[in-house]
Amino acid sequence: MASKFLAVGAVVPWAKAGAGAIATQSHANTSYGPKALELLSQGKSADEVIKQLTIDDMGKDVRQVGIIDAKGNAATFTGAKCMAWVTTIIV
């Protein structure tokens, strides 16, 4: 993982055995990690979790998130106002 910010490891990656993993960056919303893991633990897919996290997030236009669920399904979201150099997130 690469970032222009120092110590991103404290806010970017989240994972839970049997549930999945999430990475949030570009104005990271630190609530995404715990919320995503809870939703994944309930059996939600990566796509469903992305939709749930971003639907009411007023700052979603500057956020980026990637999720992989326990079944290996991946989903990503890059907000419309992210800087041009962060237009791709790879899971």
Side-chain angles (χ1 to χ4, degrees), residues 1 5-6 12 24 27 34 38 42-43 55-56 64 75:
M1 177 176 311
F5 297 104
L6 297 175
V12 172
T24 177
H27 297 272
E38 177 62 31
Q42 294 171 9
I55 196 164
D56 292 325
Q64 197 174 34

Side-chain angles (χ1 to χ4, degrees), residues 5-6 9 23 27 32 36 51 63 65 76-77:
F5 297 104
L6 297 175
H27 297 272
Y32 275 17
K51 288 175 187 166
R63 301 204 203 290
V65 61
T76 62
F77 173 85

Side-chain angles (χ1 to χ4, degrees), residues 44-63:
K44 304 279 187 200
S45 71
D47 281 324
E48 291 172 314
V49 173
I50 294 255
K51 288 175 187 166
Q52 192 74 28
L53 292 175
T54 58
I55 196 164
D56 292 325
D57 182 358
M58 299 299 285
K60 68 184 169 196
D61 285 344
V62 295
R63 301 204 203 290

